[in-house]
């Protein structure tokens, strides 16, 4: 397959690239690096991305910024960060990708465990992740008759990221990026659609 991987330089993206790159052709995309560059918060940038890469068999997003902070101090602008980046960024990618997928193609997005298991200071992240999963379930219904699939992967906090995020996840059992990457393989190479593959 020809696979577009957005967020390829991140911890999770690198693991997904290692897993899928063995048997598939990967086009690595990132905001500043990779084979091609893209800013998922910008319509024109996403359109330019697909103008460069053309038709693909799968699109994967392993990227998305959210705001972590106390609810008592949160401003609408803080909350908007996750909406514009993690949520709308991946939705924007999906809306464009549907028109550049070969028959049988798939889209795989990334949410996270706190969509279902909230943490302190994580209201923005929970909202963005939960909304993303809702989008996947609804979009799958319209994509399926067109021969296309869409899923999300919801990983636990990554073992490789515990130094940065461990304080937010007390009592959570982290998973390795490599283990999480298998869910992306399942989404891309499998047959299911409208699913949230949890790696907890």
């Amino acid at each position: 397959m020809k696979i577009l991987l957005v967020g390829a330089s991140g911890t999770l993206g690198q693991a997904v690239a290692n897993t899928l790159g063995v048997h598939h052709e990967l086009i690595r995309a990132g905001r500043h690096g990779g084979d091609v560059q893209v800013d998922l918060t910008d319509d024109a940038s996403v359109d330019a991305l697909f103008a460069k890469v053309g038709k693909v068999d799968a699109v994967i997003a392993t990227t998305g910024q959210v705001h972590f902070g106390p609810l008592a101090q949160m401003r609408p602008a803080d909350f908007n960060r996750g909406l514009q980046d993690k949520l709308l960024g991946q939705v924007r990618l999906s809306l464009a990708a549907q028109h550049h997928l070969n028959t049988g193609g798939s889209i795989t997005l990334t949410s996270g465990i706190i969509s279902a298991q909230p943490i302190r200071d994580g209201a923005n992240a929970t909202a963005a992740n939960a909304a993303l999963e809702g989008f996947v379930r609804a979009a799958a219904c319209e994509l399926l008759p067109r021969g296309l699939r869409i899923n999300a992967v919801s990983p636990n906090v990554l073992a490789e990221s515990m130094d940065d995020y461990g304080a937010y996840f007390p009592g959570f059992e982290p998973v390795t990026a490599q283990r999480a990457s298998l869910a992306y393989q399942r989404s891309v190479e499998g047959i299911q659609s409208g699913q949230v593959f949890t790696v907890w």
Side-chain angles (χ1 to χ4, degrees):
M1 295 182 191
K2 181 181 177 183
I3 300 173
L4 173 63
L5 173 58
V6 181
S9 64
T11 302
L12 183 55
Q14 290 180 54
V16 172
N18 289 338
T19 295
L20 291 175
V22 176
H23 300 294
H24 304 289
E25 174 191 353
L26 292 185
I27 302 170
R28 294 167 171 83
R31 187 166 293 191
H32 303 294
D35 304 313
V36 289
Q37 288 74 54
V38 64
D39 178 357
L40 293 187
T41 67
D42 181 78
D43 289 349
S45 181
V46 173
D47 289 341
L49 170 68
F50 285 104
K52 289 178 184 176
V53 303
K55 288 280 192 177
V56 294
D57 298 298
V59 174
I60 300 171
T62 59
T63 184
Q65 302 275 328
V66 294
H67 172 76
F68 286 100
L71 190 69
Q73 300 170 16
M74 193 177 298
R75 308 282 297 179
D78 298 324
F79 194 86
N80 194 44
R81 181 181 182 191
L83 299 184
Q84 294 302 318
D85 199 308
K86 177 117 191 197
L87 175 58
L88 188 54
Q90 293 191 76
V91 169
R92 180 179 286 110
L93 180 69
S94 302
L95 295 178
Q98 65 177 325
H99 303 297
H100 295 85
L101 286 173
N102 293 321
T103 301
S106 69
I107 300 166
T108 306
L109 308 180
T110 301
S111 60
I113 190 172
I114 54 178
S115 63
Q117 300 184 26
I119 59 172
R120 182 183 291 110
D121 296 344
N124 178 237
T126 293
N129 286 334
L132 192 68
E133 292 175 6
F135 170 76
V136 164
R137 286 191 293 268
C141 298
E142 296 189 52
L143 291 174
L144 192 59
R146 296 162 53 193
L148 305 175
R149 299 182 300 108
I150 185 170
N151 296 299
V153 174
S154 173
N156 201 338
V157 60
L158 298 180
E160 295 87 344
S161 302
M162 285 297 283
D163 287 345
D164 294 325
Y165 296 104
Y168 289 110
F169 293 89
F172 284 68
E173 183 176 0
V175 300
T176 65
Q178 191 281 327
R179 181 185 164 203
S181 74
L182 298 177
Y184 293 86
Q185 181 180 22
R186 181 178 173 189
S187 177
V188 169
E189 297 180 0
I191 63 171
Q192 292 178 282
S193 189
Q195 301 298 306
V196 177
F197 297 116
T198 57
V199 189
W200 297 353

